Amino acid sequence: MTTSDGGRRVHARIDAVWRLESARIIAGLARMVHDIGLAEDLAQDALVAALAQWPESGVPDNPGAWLMAVGKRRAIDRIRRAQRLEGKLEEIGHRQEAEALDPPPEFAAAEDPERIEDDVLRLIFTACHPVLPAKARVALTLRMLGGLTTDEIAHAFLVGEATVAQRIVRAKRTLADAGVPFEVPEGPDRAARLSSVLEVLYLIFNEGYAATAGDDWVRTDLCQEALRLGRVLAGLAPGEAEVHGLVALMEIQASRSRARTGPSGEPVPLAEQNRGKWDLLLVRRGFAALLRAKELGGPPGPYVLQAAIAACHARARSAAETDWTQIAALYEVLAGVAPSPIVEVNRAVAVGMADGPERGLALLDAIADDPALRGNHLPPSVRGDLLARLGRTADARAEFERAAGLTRNAPERRALLDRAAGMHGDVSDREEPR
């Protein structure tokens, strides 16, 4: 193996470690310095140190603890250079002397999913403080907790990258200026921030479930982190139906993980998945969480409704046995509770399966000009499916090619191009017989 090959492998390892551990490192540092913007800067400094040292020294046995320790040293350096917070400097200095390079208690605590005082959960509630606009809360938490780039967040929000970057910078400054405490709130304050926290977990899970960009269709680390945090949150708020609804949704969706990719990492559509690979333990956990949500009563919210849709798929022993009529009805209710163009696209899929592709196309046509869908690959992908079922293969091929040009996920792009290549000309494409 050449030196350059070894360097690339180490850099790939560093990237993997950062994806997995960055949220815990930022959260642990935020608990110390009480400034999540500074905590992210310190974590980034530690990452730069790893990039400089690990190719020569090798990746440490506990890379997360190494990054945390370096981040803490950088915290001391920042405070010393700024000649402020002398009391905090002394406190952190004493801790650093005792801990050396051993895994810090803050880092170890973040590994314990049973602790309500989970640093990562503290970070989510801090980033979701009402002092921030709702969109800024979600963008900041995805950046801090999910390790997503501004580009990936922008795609999830269907807005420009510069807009997201601006939101994040302003959000960190606002939290610092307001002196927002790094804590899990109690009572009414917790309820006020709960919907924003749920939205954050939902988007993190979705990014892991179907990555917007890159070479992997599934990012298991994000799915697992969102699900872990959801379970902790369910313990924090056992009387909130929507919390259990979101956990149910994530459990059931995560149950399909092994069946969602083929041998080369290519996406496998739901209808073609080997349901024998679905994780029945996760399915049962999802059903149990959905039952708890329903037992709490009240009108179903968006996460309970989406969990009910996922449960319909999970109950079907085969794709042919799927109750698409029920799923279409649930999407209609969801469209009334939480209207969005993406919900309408998914409703078009369900109606197309329940009532025929013409009905699905009609729903899709009704939202074709929605500016929020501009540049999104999902509508042409769905349109391609519906057109293919109608036998309009030339039109379907064009839609699959258009969708492939819009997605930034490499496996998904290849799958869409394969769909396009598999479309043979319809009757209007063929020469008249001679």
Side-chain angles (χ1 to χ4, degrees):
M1 180 178 67
T2 67
T3 302
S4 60
D5 289 339
R8 280 194 294 269
R9 291 189 180 184
V10 171
H11 278 248
R13 176 80 185 278
I14 293 172
D15 182 64
V17 168
W18 182 252
R19 289 275 189 181
L20 184 64
E21 307 289 7
S22 61
R24 295 178 176 86
I25 294 165
I26 293 171
L29 292 170
R31 174 138 66 102
M32 293 167 49
V33 300
H34 298 281
D35 182 332
I36 63 174
L38 176 58
E40 186 188 22
D41 290 343
L42 295 169
Q44 290 286 347
D45 287 347
L47 176 63
V48 171
L51 289 168
Q53 297 180 36
W54 291 2
E56 295 295 330
S57 63
V59 179
D61 292 337
N62 192 335
W66 189 99
L67 289 167
M68 176 68 86
V70 171
K72 292 176 71 175
R73 291 200 196 98
R74 294 295 193 271
I76 295 172
D77 292 341
R78 289 285 187 97
I79 295 171
R80 182 180 293 118
R81 285 197 301 268
Q83 295 182 344
R84 60 184 174 83
L85 300 181
E86 295 181 0
K88 184 169 287 295
L89 172 61
E90 182 178 356
E91 175 190 349
I92 296 175
H94 286 317
R95 289 183 187 177
Q96 183 66 30
E97 290 176 6
E99 291 166 3
L101 285 177
D102 291 333
E106 291 88 350
F107 186 84
E111 295 293 332
D112 183 358
E114 299 301 323
R115 286 191 59 177
I116 298 303
E117 305 82 12
D118 188 340
D119 280 345
V120 180
L121 197 61
R122 291 173 189 259
L123 181 55
I124 288 183
F125 272 100
T126 303
C128 294
H129 195 279
V131 74
L132 298 177
K135 291 181 180 178
R137 299 174 209 166
V138 177
L140 179 62
T141 309
L142 283 173
R143 180 75 177 92
M144 295 289 189
L145 276 295
L148 307 190
T149 65
T150 53
D151 182 51
E152 290 169 332
I153 299 169
H155 190 74
F157 284 148
L158 306 177
V159 296
E161 183 177 356
T163 300
V164 171
Q166 190 176 53
R167 286 176 187 168
I168 291 172
V169 170
R170 287 178 177 173
K172 289 190 285 189
R173 185 183 304 123
T174 300
L175 289 174
D177 292 345
V180 172
F182 185 67
E183 64 183 9
V184 177
E186 298 293 336
D189 288 341
R190 179 186 296 176
R193 278 189 253 174
L194 188 58
S195 62
S196 183
V197 172
L198 292 176
E199 184 179 8
V200 167
L201 295 183
Y202 178 71
L203 287 173
I204 292 175
F205 182 86
N206 279 350
E207 179 60 29
Y209 190 72
T212 57
D215 297 325
D216 298 314
W217 173 236
V218 176
R219 291 169 57 178
T220 305
D221 55 337
L222 292 183
C223 289
Q224 290 178 342
E225 183 66 8
L227 186 50
R228 185 184 74 85
L229 291 171
R231 290 167 179 165
V232 172
L233 189 58
L236 274 172
E240 296 289 342
E242 278 290 83
V243 174
H244 296 293
L246 178 58
V247 171
L249 174 63
M250 293 191 294
E251 299 274 16
I252 295 171
Q253 298 288 69
S255 73
R256 307 174 193 159
S257 295
R258 291 197 302 268
R260 294 188 65 246
T261 54
S264 303
E266 70 276 11
V268 178
L270 180 61
E272 299 173 16
Q273 289 175 16
N274 177 357
R275 300 191 176 208
K277 292 184 176 181
W278 288 5
D279 189 325
L280 295 182
L281 175 60
L282 290 179
V283 172
R284 287 194 292 270
R285 292 183 66 146
F287 284 173
L290 182 57
L291 180 60
R292 283 195 294 273
K294 291 181 176 179
E295 288 174 343
L296 289 170
Y303 299 112
V304 172
L305 288 167
Q306 290 180 76
I309 291 169
C312 283
H313 288 293
R315 290 189 189 99
R317 290 176 295 180
S318 67
E321 296 179 46
T322 303
D323 188 350
W324 284 107
T325 300
Q326 176 67 11
I327 291 173
L330 287 167
Y331 268 118
E332 186 173 1
V333 177
L334 179 61
V337 171
S340 83
I342 296 299
V343 169
E344 290 300 323
V345 171
N346 285 303
R347 187 160 78 98
V349 174
V351 170
M353 294 299 294
D355 302 328
E358 298 93 342
R359 291 287 304 279
L361 278 173
L363 288 176
L364 210 53
D365 289 341
I367 58 169
D369 297 327
D370 193 311
L373 293 175
R374 191 175 298 122
N376 191 294
H377 73 285
L378 186 58
S381 175
V382 171
R383 184 179 293 277
D385 279 322
L386 294 168
L387 290 169
R389 290 175 54 206
L390 287 170
R392 295 169 53 184
T393 51
D395 292 335
R397 180 171 61 247
E399 293 294 334
F400 287 134
E401 289 173 348
R402 186 160 72 93
L406 292 172
T407 183
R408 289 169 295 168
N409 182 275
E412 186 174 35
R413 183 183 303 112
R414 289 192 295 269
L416 287 164
L417 290 175
D418 287 344
R419 292 287 313 270
M423 293 290 105
H424 301 291
D426 59 21
V427 174
S428 62
D429 293 328
R430 302 183 191 127
E431 292 184 357
E432 290 293 329
R434 297 178 180 174

